[in-house]
Amino acid sequence: MKYTLQPLPYEISALEPVIDTKTMDIHFNRHHKTYVDNLNKALDEMEIENLSLEELFINISKHPVAVRNNAGGHYNHAMFWKSLSPVATELSESLSKAINNQFGSLENLKKEVNEAGLKRFGSGWVWLIIKDGALQIISTPNQDNPLMDTAEIKGVPILGIDVWEHAYYLKHENKRVDYLENIWKIINWKEVSWRYQTELNKI
Ligand code: MN
């Protein structure tokens, strides 16, 4: 199976001023593209046929580290681009209720996500996941994600925020906190709500 870099669902400059065009260009056209290219190379060297990324993640610890890093890199970024939107979107009633029940308020959820993102030492991601029907905030190192068997806490991600320096350094320099505080202005809640509902419907 060959993976391809799918076009962004908006213009490269659409997320200005929260994410500047140069950062988007390098992040998407170079970083994400490299994960896709290297994933295809790594899979060529193995004899894995027709496994989806999700299927690979279930046993990722048994595969070469290049597969882990690049399959994660591709999956995480593809999800990240879809989780952002240049236009304001609203949470579904059911996700809104679940957030209020578990975190007290949306503001509090944002605060807890930002704290988890700030605590991640080095490169990684912060996630909102569904685990046993409930929402939970976790973070993973490098290009790992909560679907991998290597994750300390596993679950289905409904929102992932990239906290690698390449996601924010050109605009925010070393201030990850500024990036995290601003990214909430462009979260695609419609997409996150859809993922939440899709997952709940399976339970
Ligand atoms: Mn990235």
Side-chain angles (χ1 to χ4, degrees), residues 27 31 35 77 80-81 125 143 162 164 166-167:
H27 200 174
H31 289 285
Y35 296 126
H77 286 85
F80 184 53
W81 309 131
W125 290 74
Q143 294 297 354
D162 189 345
W164 282 56
H166 69 219

Side-chain angles (χ1 to χ4, degrees), residues 27 31-32 35 69 72-81 83-84 113 116-129 137-146 148 157 159-167 176 179-180 183:
H27 200 174
H31 289 285
H32 189 174
Y35 296 126
N69 289 339
H74 178 36
Y75 180 93
N76 297 351
H77 286 85
M79 181 173 169
F80 184 53
W81 309 131
S83 304
L84 303 175
V113 168
L118 286 171
K119 263 195 223 150
R120 167 55 50 199
F121 182 77
S123 298
W125 290 74
V126 55
W127 305 94
L128 181 62
I129 64 168
I137 296 163
I138 66 154
S139 96
T140 54
N142 305 316
Q143 294 297 354
D144 286 0
N145 68 44
M148 292 182 175
L159 172 64
I161 299 175
D162 189 345
V163 295
W164 282 56
E165 278 186 348
H166 69 219
R176 186 184 286 180
Y179 161 73
L180 283 169
I183 204 158

